[in-house]
Amino acid sequence: MLDKIRNDVRVLMGNDDNGHGFEHVERVFKIAVKIAEEKRANVEIVALAALLHDADDYKFVGAENAAKLANARRIMTENHVEENKMSQVCEIILTMGYSKFLQGIRPQTLEGQIVSDADMLDALGAVSVVRTVMYTVTHGSRKLFDRNMFPENNLTKEKYTAKGRDRDSAVNHFFDKLLKLKYILFTPEARREADIRHRFMVDFLREFFREQDCFDWIDYLEEYEKKEQKTA
Ligand code: ADP
Ligand code: NI
């Protein structure tokens, strides 16, 4: 059944070129199942939620459709997933994601926390650099970096999801979101991996700024890091 569902998700997302398509889903699936096995969580629920978690992404189907989870429900129904499993999976999908986090919504079960952690891990590290650039080019501002445009601090959910944010540079997305993620993970397994990936992103940004003599940005980065560590 999982193989069939994976294939249905690939058909649904396959042609997406925004760094958010099926490759992302496969990576999240792999990390989530690994953590679930280590923690002896319900692997089937974790696997289903990981495969289906972006099938109704608000950025692509709109907020109203996203809340209905029409794609995820259709795929599970067509593959005869039992009603009680389906509702556990939907509950997880509806409580994960950074914009949900900004609204104070958190996954309540271990399975939900694992899938949420896996999704956020895939927004960190070398993978994140590539995904963010892909997103910026295909759906965002097409601007990698503007040395005169410093990030706004601590965006609210409204500001974070406002369409205008897509005018932000790729580099600013690291400060808006990516450099905050390691502090909001649930499982120690994911936190350990997040530390490594976080360090890589900071090194990447420091070098990116150094190559362009943007020493004010290096200072900004160091200050930002100190502040985030303190408030974590
Ligand atoms: P996820 O599926 O990991 O929750 P998102 O749906 O938030 O991720 O975004 C998909 C990818 O696109 C992520 O890797 C993220 O870093 C990147 N991204 C999202 N929003 C922006 C933005 N405004 N500018 C640049 N990159 C973005
Ligand atoms: Ni995702």
Side-chain angles (χ1 to χ4, degrees):
M1 173 184 80
L2 279 180
D3 279 342
K4 270 216 68 223
I5 291 183
R6 169 190 275 143
N7 201 48
D8 291 349
V9 175
R10 180 169 39 217
V11 170
L12 180 74
M13 313 182 82
N15 297 325
D16 210 336
D17 57 351
N18 56 12
H20 193 259
F22 190 64
E23 284 182 40
H24 161 67
V25 169
E26 291 228 281
R27 287 190 303 265
V28 171
F29 175 83
K30 224 170 136 190
I31 307 169
V33 167
K34 181 162 169 264
I35 300 176
E37 282 167 352
E38 281 169 22
K39 296 193 91 68
R40 298 181 188 278
N42 185 328
V43 177
E44 189 186 9
I45 296 296
V46 165
L48 284 170
L51 286 176
L52 292 163
H53 83 275
D54 274 333
D56 301 272
D57 189 331
Y58 77 92
K59 290 198 272 355
F60 306 109
V61 301
E64 227 169 272
N65 287 328
K68 293 187 196 135
L69 298 185
N71 288 327
R73 283 184 210 279
R74 175 181 55 76
I75 290 174
M76 285 192 280
T77 304
E78 284 170 4
N79 288 283
H80 314 291
V81 175
E82 289 161 38
E83 192 59 49
N84 86 351
K85 290 182 186 165
M86 187 139 84
S87 71
Q88 287 180 67
V89 171
C90 290
E91 166 73 18
I92 291 175
I93 298 173
L94 289 173
T95 53
M96 58 185 280
Y98 190 63
S99 66
K100 301 282 172 52
F101 172 82
L102 292 176
Q103 300 170 68
I105 299 168
R106 307 279 185 280
Q108 297 299 315
T109 59
L110 174 63
E111 285 73 21
Q113 295 177 347
I114 290 172
V115 182
S116 171
D117 278 4
D119 188 35
M120 289 187 177
L121 268 182
D122 200 56
L124 299 180
V127 163
S128 94
V129 173
V130 177
R131 286 181 76 203
T132 301
V133 171
M134 284 173 84
Y135 183 96
T136 304
V137 171
T138 57
H139 291 81
S141 65
R142 302 201 187 165
K143 205 177 340 187
L144 280 185
F145 176 51
D146 179 347
R147 68 170 68 209
N148 296 313
M149 189 178 71
F150 278 88
E152 277 180 69
N153 291 322
N154 298 320
L155 298 174
T156 58
K157 184 246 169 189
E158 285 67 33
K159 275 201 165 171
Y160 179 76
T161 51
K163 278 223 147 61
R165 295 235 56 79
D166 286 342
R167 289 199 299 268
D168 257 9
S169 70
V171 164
N172 282 5
H173 188 63
F174 285 85
F175 296 99
D176 288 349
K177 169 182 171 186
L178 306 179
L179 292 174
K180 298 178 190 293
L181 292 181
K182 84 161 179 168
Y183 301 107
I184 64 172
L185 298 179
F186 296 99
T187 65
E189 289 81 358
R191 285 217 183 116
R192 272 197 298 276
E193 175 63 20
D195 269 334
I196 301 171
R197 297 187 185 201
H198 185 99
R199 228 172 298 144
F200 174 85
M201 292 191 295
V202 172
D203 289 345
F204 168 82
L205 288 170
R206 199 185 292 110
E207 171 64 10
F208 186 89
F209 299 143
R210 189 197 63 81
E211 289 175 10
Q212 299 171 81
D213 294 332
C214 292
F215 301 110
D216 51 345
W217 279 82
I218 295 182
D219 293 343
Y220 180 85
L221 174 63
E222 309 286 342
E223 282 306 309
Y224 177 100
E225 279 288 283
K226 268 191 225 145
K227 210 167 64 208
E228 291 294 317
Q229 268 161 26
K230 223 182 269 165
T231 52

